[in-house]
Amino acid sequence: MSDQYLVVHTPGAFGNFIAHLIDCHQSNKLLPLPFVDSGASHNRYNLTKSIDMVELGMWENYNNSSNGKKVIGCVWEQDFFTYILHASYGRTNSGQYGECGVEYAEKDFHDFVQKHIATESLVQNITDLNDLFGLYIDEKNPQVPRHILRMFFWFKIFKNKDDIVSITNNRIKNLAGIRLLDIENIIDYTKLKSFLQKEFLIDLDFSDLHAEFLKKNRSLNEYIRAKSIIHAVKNNQFVDTQGLSTVSEAWILYELEKYYFDIPFFNIIDFFKNTKDIIEYVKYFPNFMKQPNKIYHQYYEMFPNPKKAKTI
């Protein structure tokens, strides 16, 4: 087995999982499971190097280690940003946050930042919370109120194209001489198996490993569920909405406010228990109070020309 491959990625783009599969194919056998409690593949035998290009100094690391290597870039389309956002908090580092870092951050944001490998970078989150909401987080006041944390993630989703993960993802796409592997093709076992079989000329059955990979990916499952809830509201279908993370709640409110445009969803204190509550909120919202979010006026170029507000 050789170390001729290098995998580059952003947080949440399955770079470590692909590096693990490369090692499996070069060994022509399945290696021990790489998963930590959060489902991330951060507990693996690191022959094939994977680089999270968002981390400080990693572009220099890439320039120093990519010569003579076959480089695979794990990338994603912008529609997957909210999955990446959840994963960057929920599946980060070596598993010190248990099954979900987002859940941990909801309970103790200060400790989440302090335990992170990149604490110096994450401290900016605490600064942003103070700048946006006048909320100061420290060891004596460690928890962000749920509706404020939801709004914090709402702002991240709103500015998704300017986020460092999006900028880095596009930069990876433009690297010369690398092979790109979209995360949609990683999620699809048949497409991923075909990609690796062509690369290594080995027919290795890793279907059980892949199924476990999907099962443990809480961020992906949250993304799929939130997307189905948005669809349900738009199609007047009743489904439960309880048990979501603040990231998923933020995305749902963001998409619905874009869709209805003149009905506010941004500053909801208690999240809706089901889509029936959302549908009735829209249906009976007072006409005389309808007005687009002020921030949409400020950043109007980000949105298509609004049509007459949708009704249910």
Side-chain angles (χ1 to χ4, degrees), residues 5-19:
Y5 285 87
L6 175 65
V7 180
V8 294
H9 58 95
T10 66
F14 313 135
N16 279 279
F17 183 62
I18 293 304

Side-chain angles (χ1 to χ4, degrees), residues 57 115 122 153:
K115 283 187 173 181
L122 265 290
F153 287 130

Side-chain angles (χ1 to χ4, degrees), residues 64-303:
N64 292 335
S65 58
S66 60
N67 288 338
K69 298 288 182 70
K70 295 182 179 179
V71 183
I72 294 177
C74 298
V75 295
W76 40 277
E77 296 302 313
Q78 204 62 33
D79 287 348
F80 271 86
F81 175 80
T82 48
Y83 157 73
I84 295 293
L85 177 63
H86 190 286
S88 65
Y89 284 82
R91 291 160 55 82
T92 188
N93 294 174
S94 58
Q96 69 267 42
Y97 302 119
E99 292 185 358
C100 181
V102 175
E103 195 172 272
Y104 193 101
E106 289 171 351
K107 296 175 181 177
D108 192 332
F109 199 86
H110 178 265
D111 200 47
F112 174 87
V113 171
Q114 295 303 313
K115 283 187 173 181
H116 201 281
I117 291 174
T119 296
E120 292 182 3
S121 298
L122 265 290
V123 167
Q124 182 62 43
N125 284 194
I126 292 178
T127 301
D128 291 343
L129 283 164
N130 190 31
D131 291 344
L132 288 168
F133 308 105
L135 176 68
Y136 186 70
I137 295 298
D138 59 16
E139 64 276 4
K140 294 181 180 179
N141 184 39
Q143 186 176 29
V144 181
R146 186 176 182 86
H147 71 286
I148 293 179
L149 188 58
R150 186 195 304 132
M151 286 191 286
F152 173 72
F153 287 130
W154 189 99
F155 272 111
K156 283 189 170 290
I157 294 168
F158 182 79
K159 299 289 287 182
N160 68 88
K161 292 182 180 179
D162 297 325
D163 195 286
I164 185 62
V165 293
S166 298
I167 294 170
T168 303
N169 181 56
N170 289 328
R171 192 172 172 185
I172 292 172
K173 289 181 179 180
N174 290 322
L175 285 173
I178 76 167
R179 295 188 62 187
L180 299 179
L181 182 57
D182 193 283
I183 64 173
E184 284 196 274
N185 292 333
I186 298 174
I187 294 168
D188 187 313
Y189 174 73
T190 301
K191 291 179 179 178
L192 179 57
K193 187 175 188 300
S194 176
F195 176 90
L196 292 169
Q197 188 171 350
K198 289 177 182 177
E199 181 67 28
F200 295 98
L201 303 178
I202 295 172
D203 185 10
L204 183 65
D205 182 359
F206 58 96
S207 55
D208 290 343
L209 171 64
H210 191 268
E212 188 70 9
F213 157 72
L214 294 179
K215 180 181 177 182
K216 286 182 172 291
N217 194 325
R218 187 166 174 174
S219 298
L220 181 60
N221 293 328
E222 277 250 350
Y223 173 82
I224 293 170
R225 186 183 175 206
K227 192 173 184 179
S228 71
I229 289 170
I230 295 166
H231 176 83
V233 173
K234 293 178 180 179
N235 289 275
N236 205 34
Q237 299 168 350
F238 297 164
V239 298
D240 179 68
T241 61
Q242 297 183 85
L244 292 167
S245 70
T246 46
V247 174
S248 294
E249 290 175 355
W251 184 37
I252 290 169
L253 298 183
Y254 171 78
E255 289 295 334
L256 292 179
E257 188 154 348
K258 279 203 308 179
Y259 186 72
Y260 294 108
F261 203 74
D262 61 359
I263 296 178
F265 284 88
F266 172 69
N267 195 23
I268 299 293
I269 303 298
D270 296 318
F271 194 74
F272 303 96
K273 294 181 179 179
N274 50 60
T275 55
K276 182 176 183 291
D277 289 348
I278 301 176
I279 291 167
E280 290 185 350
Y281 172 79
V282 172
K283 185 175 182 179
Y284 300 113
F285 193 86
N287 288 326
F288 62 89
M289 292 182 66
K290 290 181 178 179
Q291 183 177 352
N293 191 322
K294 182 179 179 181
I295 201 170
Y296 287 173
H297 289 293
Q298 185 177 355
Y299 295 96
Y300 67 91
E301 70 277 3
M302 295 173 58
F303 303 96

